[in-house]
Amino acid sequence: EAQVTQNPRYLITVTGKKLTVTCSQNMNHEYMSWYRQDPGLGLRQIYYSMNVEVTDKGDVPEGYKVSRKEKRNFPLILESPSPNQTSLYFCASTLVPGAEQYFGPGTRLTVT
Amino acid sequence: DQQVKQNSPSLSVQEGRISILNCDYTNSMFDYFLWYKKYPAEGPTFLISISSIKDKNEDGRFTVFLNKSAKHLSLHIVPSQPGDSAVYFCAAGPTGNQFYFGTGTSLTVIP
């Protein structure tokens, strides 16, 4: 089954404790993105990647890092999480630019 | 500053009638336009897209209209069904990699 998986689905952590949210797709897509969804703000793009070792900033990259060492994986790293990063995070992938993106189920992160 | 706006947070429609969801954008460089549907506790799923060189695209009950001069797109669902009840997001971007999403419109189709 074609899918995008994210782990963990739920995470509660404390300010400053480094964390990684994993994202994996099994569709051999080159393009992947991370988004966060907040009430009243919709989805905002954090980072995107066009291929292995090729990443670029989206609309709200501050406080986040990403890496793309393998085509299927695109982890989101929060080196020092803060409460304003409490949000619902989605990973997405697509075969070609501009085409439909396949979204993961989401990771709800709470930073206290 | 929100580059893509959905000014109606919610919409209620009777089953069988037309649902019209609207979306406005500010950047004339946007060339890619898509609509997504989202159910609670799930990720968004793709619904329909439109190329900037077209003004209409149809897929079954769903039609998207694009008015580039007005920087406006709309999604028409005809006939609306209870299973269409969800949050709908429009997305637009200048390239195929960068996307700006609206804040969503929650559609309720009343049986």
Side-chain angles (χ1 to χ4, degrees), chain A residues 55-109:
Chain A
T55 63
D56 208 347
K57 296 177 180 178
D59 200 25
V60 288
E62 297 79 18
Y64 304 94
K65 285 175 57 177
V66 292
S67 71
R68 188 94 183 271
K69 296 189 185 338
E70 305 167 281
K71 197 175 200 178
R72 63 182 292 127
N73 296 322
F74 190 43
L76 179 70
I77 303 154
L78 285 72
E79 294 269 2
S80 182
S82 62
N84 65 12
Q85 292 178 299
T86 291
S87 187
L88 179 59
Y89 290 87
F90 291 101
C91 179
S93 73
T94 186
L95 183 60
V96 295
E100 63 177 289
Q101 294 187 76
Y102 292 81
F103 281 81
T107 295
R108 186 164 291 282
L109 172 66

Side-chain angles (χ1 to χ4, degrees), chain A residues 31 40 43 45 98 100-101 104, chain B residues 36 43 46 96-99 101 103:
Chain A
Y31 303 89
L43 283 89
Q45 193 173 34
E100 63 177 289
Q101 294 187 76
Chain B
Y36 288 86
F46 171 77
N97 294 306
Q98 288 177 279
F99 282 99
F101 280 71
T103 51

Side-chain angles (χ1 to χ4, degrees), chain B residues 6 20 36 75 84:
Chain B
Q6 293 177 256
I20 300 176
Y36 288 86
L75 174 69
D84 296 330

Side-chain angles (χ1 to χ4, degrees), chain A residues 9 31 33 35 37 40-43 45 48-50 57 59 88 90 94 96-106, chain B residues 1-3 32-34 36 38 41-47 49 87 89 91 95-104:
Chain A
R9 294 290 312 277
Y31 303 89
S33 289
Y35 295 87
Q37 183 185 4
L41 295 175
L43 283 89
Q45 193 173 34
Y48 60 93
S49 169
M50 291 78 79
K57 296 177 180 178
D59 200 25
L88 179 59
F90 291 101
T94 186
V96 295
E100 63 177 289
Q101 294 187 76
Y102 292 81
F103 281 81
Chain B
D1 191 27
Q2 201 79 15
Q3 298 204 44
Y32 295 86
F33 305 93
L34 303 91
Y36 288 86
K38 186 180 182 304
E42 295 182 12
T45 55
F46 171 77
L47 199 55
S49 63
V87 178
F89 291 97
T95 70
N97 294 306
Q98 288 177 279
F99 282 99
Y100 297 88
F101 280 71
T103 51

Side-chain angles (χ1 to χ4, degrees), chain A residues 11-30:
Chain A
L11 179 60
I12 300 174
T13 189
V14 296
T15 299
K17 186 176 180 182
K18 181 180 178 180
L19 66 92
T20 299
V21 183
T22 64
C23 172
S24 183
Q25 50 93 5
N26 62 0
M27 295 167 280
N28 204 35
H29 287 169
E30 289 189 352

